[in-house]
Amino acid sequence: MRFDGLLLPLLGLAVSADSAPGLPDVTTTNLTAQQFPELGSRRVETAYGSHVVQPRSQQDGMSKFQSAIPPPCTECLVTFMQAQLEYANGTTADATTGMWMHHVVFLNRGRKDSVCDMPAQRFFASGNERTAVDFTSTFSAAGTQHLGYPIRANESFFVVGELMNMLNTSQEVVFSMIWEYLPSPRPYFKHAIPYWLDVGGCGDSDVPAKSVSQFAYTSPVLNASFHGTIALIAGHLHDGGTHLDVFRNERSVCTTVATYTSANVTDDHIARIDSCTNAGVTAPGDQWFIKAYYDTVAHPPMAANDGSLEPVMGIALAYLVASEPLTRSWLSRGTLIVVIVTAVMATGLAALYVVRQKSDFVSQLWDGVGARGWQRVRTSDPGTDDLGDEDGLLLRDEEGRK
Ligand SMILES: *[C@@H]1O[C@H](CO)[C@@H](O)[C@H](O)[C@H]1NC(C)=O
Ligand SMILES: *[C@@H]1O[C@H](CO)[C@@H](O)[C@H](O)[C@H]1NC(C)=O
Ligand SMILES: *[C@@H]1O[C@H](CO)[C@@H](O)[C@H](O)[C@H]1NC(C)=O
Ligand SMILES: *[C@@H]1O[C@H](CO)[C@@H](O)[C@H](O)[C@H]1NC(C)=O
Ligand SMILES: *[C@@H]1O[C@H](CO)[C@@H](O)[C@H](O)[C@H]1NC(C)=O
Ligand SMILES: *[C@@H]1O[C@H](CO)[C@@H](O)[C@H](O)[C@H]1NC(C)=O
């Protein structure tokens, strides 16, 4: 997606929100709540008008939309979101019918983006794989399945999307969302904060594809500034993508793998992309980045009518739960570790010292143990300044492009 195109309307510089064709009326259908019925949860399908997508011969069959849309609820907590694309008769439109959901992105205009300097928060995205964001699938030590994305009364939503028609005839489809939410969430429900990690950084998410090769794109580094748990990570790749890794300090904490429709390379598209639940914790000073891997030998990328390759993407939308920073007492966890290690060492050294008086053989041992013990204390040093940065819920990227 072109973020220049996306950002202009958000910044109020161009394009009125109602320039979006086909996305005005909202039809809400009540479904059966599945997650917390005992807490009065509601599950709804919201259909956003209908959309006629021109044939493949015109603009490569790509049709964009962007529009303000009402949130499904206000003063509520969303626990499940999933995008859908269907024909008017309710049949699913996807690669097998030549009609794709290329991508959709939902933005909350009542909040600032967590990663980039944008006036709206990117909180949900989907490609044709239609990965559900199910906060109840997350269990962890610090987090809990009692988690959701909160919507306040003063917030409004905006959606941008692109649909793609592979056929030579126009097709009419309905874009819709499934939402499950709690109208009156209990106080023990935690709030998920969406972080958008993108190989395009804060600029355009589109990056060039390469034919018949293996390549990877890496995002800029984001420096974490608070304590939290990563409850859920959803990945987005284009055709040709095999997997996406999310790194915390050079170590992968999540791999989302793309599954293809078939081994039929003439009609081979991404059908599913895994998401990760409970990808560990984050702390101030942690460096986060993602790497998106492509193999266009195994899976050809999309091409335009003129044969040029469509751009590809690598995006991970990570949902974080902020946790309490460590208490600002002198006995922080880091200090405590050093105190214990020092005490254990002192005891050991004292014992060895006594033994040393009696044996030259143990004297050699003393030197070895002493050196190793000292190194161990040194490697635990970084923990000593593990005091929380209480305010920051902001990550900054390496180049300072916010
Ligand atoms: C859907 O549920 C809401 C809340 O229970 C209710 O107010 C509304 O009338 C229902 N709509 C339909 C079409 O049944
Ligand atoms: C539903 O509509 C699509 C598009 O018009 C059509 O191809 C499909 O056959 C229809 N399915 C059913 C079950 O009527
Ligand atoms: C919305 O209301 C919250 C308090 O509920 C406030 O903190 C926030 O600044 C408001 N946002 C806007 C955009 O008015
Ligand atoms: C669409 O039309 C082009 C050019 O006429 C043709 O080569 C192609 O096979 C057609 N595609 C389909 C899906 O019918
Ligand atoms: C591969 O996909 C094409 C286009 O949908 C289809 O015509 C062909 O029969 C498929 N081949 C196999 C082996 O499934
Ligand atoms: C992120 O952290 C690294 C290592 O500490 C530092 O070099 C870099 O300047 C930081 N970036 C920002 C934007 O703060």
Side-chain angles (χ1 to χ4, degrees), residues 301-336:
M302 299 288 292
N305 286 335
D306 66 5
S308 65
L309 298 182
E310 299 279 358
V312 294
M313 293 185 189
I315 294 171
L317 193 46
Y319 296 90
L320 271 67
V321 185
S323 55
E324 290 299 314
L326 295 173
T327 45
R328 281 194 184 278
S329 86
W330 67 273
L331 204 65
S332 72
R333 190 167 52 192
T335 313
L336 196 61

Side-chain angles (χ1 to χ4, degrees), residues 8-20:
L8 289 179
L10 289 173
L11 295 168
L13 297 176
V15 195
S16 66
D18 54 10
S19 69

Side-chain angles (χ1 to χ4, degrees), residues 94-96 100-101 127-131 235-243 256-262 267-274 293-294 299-300 302 312-313:
D94 66 11
T96 59
W100 295 59
M101 182 155 62
N128 198 55
E129 69 280 356
R130 302 161 204 216
T131 309
H236 178 62
L237 295 160
H238 281 193
D239 279 352
T242 54
H243 62 291
T256 66
V257 177
T259 309
Y260 281 74
T261 42
S262 63
D267 187 23
D268 186 24
H269 303 291
I270 290 179
R272 201 164 66 84
I273 301 182
D274 296 338
Y293 303 83
Y294 278 81
H299 307 289
M302 299 288 292
V312 294
M313 293 185 189

Side-chain angles (χ1 to χ4, degrees), residues 239-264:
D239 279 352
T242 54
H243 62 291
L244 183 148
D245 270 325
V246 180
F247 292 89
R248 176 192 186 205
N249 301 331
E250 305 282 340
R251 195 173 70 84
S252 173
V253 297
C254 163
T255 303
T256 66
V257 177
T259 309
Y260 281 74
T261 42
S262 63
N264 181 352

Side-chain angles (χ1 to χ4, degrees), residues 56 166-168:
R56 171 92 179 152
M166 308 280 282
L167 304 188
N168 285 340

Side-chain angles (χ1 to χ4, degrees), residues 1-233:
M1 77 211 70
R2 303 237 163 242
F3 274 114
D4 41 4
L6 158 58
L7 279 174
L8 289 179
L10 289 173
L11 295 168
L13 297 176
V15 195
S16 66
D18 54 10
S19 69
L23 266 176
D25 342 273
V26 182
T27 309
T28 302
T29 309
N30 289 336
L31 306 174
T32 305
Q34 293 176 13
Q35 299 186 324
F36 300 102
E38 72 282 9
L39 299 179
S41 60
R42 297 195 56 205
R43 192 178 187 91
V44 294
E45 181 187 83
T46 49
Y48 304 100
S50 69
H51 201 93
V52 177
V53 184
Q54 77 279 5
R56 171 92 179 152
S57 55
Q58 296 168 25
Q59 292 99 45
D60 295 309
M62 293 283 217
S63 174
K64 294 173 192 239
F65 59 77
Q66 56 186 30
S67 176
I69 53 155
C73 54
T74 49
E75 296 293 351
C76 55
L77 190 78
V78 174
T79 55
F80 180 95
M81 305 179 255
Q82 187 168 28
Q84 306 184 123
L85 192 67
E86 295 172 339
Y87 295 104
N89 60 17
T91 310
T92 298
D94 66 11
T96 59
T97 67
M99 184 69 224
W100 295 59
M101 182 155 62
H102 200 257
H103 64 259
V104 293
V105 182
F106 280 73
L107 300 105
N108 182 344
R109 293 199 281 192
R111 292 171 192 265
K112 287 194 165 32
D113 192 73
S114 315
V115 175
C116 298
D117 189 12
M118 292 183 184
Q121 184 177 64
R122 297 166 291 179
F123 70 91
F124 175 77
S126 180
N128 198 55
E129 69 280 356
R130 302 161 204 216
T131 309
V133 168
D134 181 358
F135 292 114
T136 66
S137 67
T138 64
F139 291 82
S140 72
T144 147
Q145 81 278 26
H146 295 127
L147 182 68
Y149 183 71
I151 306 176
R152 296 182 298 219
N154 60 2
E155 293 174 348
S156 62
F157 285 3
F158 196 87
V159 62
V160 295
E162 194 167 34
L163 305 178
M164 182 171 187
N165 185 356
M166 308 280 282
L167 304 188
N168 285 340
T169 50
S170 65
Q171 299 198 69
E172 185 173 353
V173 285
V174 177
F175 168 65
S176 61
M177 287 286 292
I178 304 277
W179 310 89
E180 183 148 343
Y181 61 89
L182 288 158
S184 316
R186 299 292 163 89
Y188 54 80
F189 274 81
K190 293 187 172 168
H191 293 178
I193 309 165
Y195 279 78
W196 182 286
L197 304 173
D198 193 322
V199 297
C202 289
D204 195 333
S205 296
D206 285 342
V207 290
K210 296 170 193 166
S211 60
V212 202
S213 58
Q214 291 165 341
F215 55 95
Y217 282 104
T218 305
S219 73
V221 171
L222 297 159
N223 289 339
S225 61
F226 66 99
H227 289 273
T229 307
I230 295 92
L232 186 64
I233 301 177

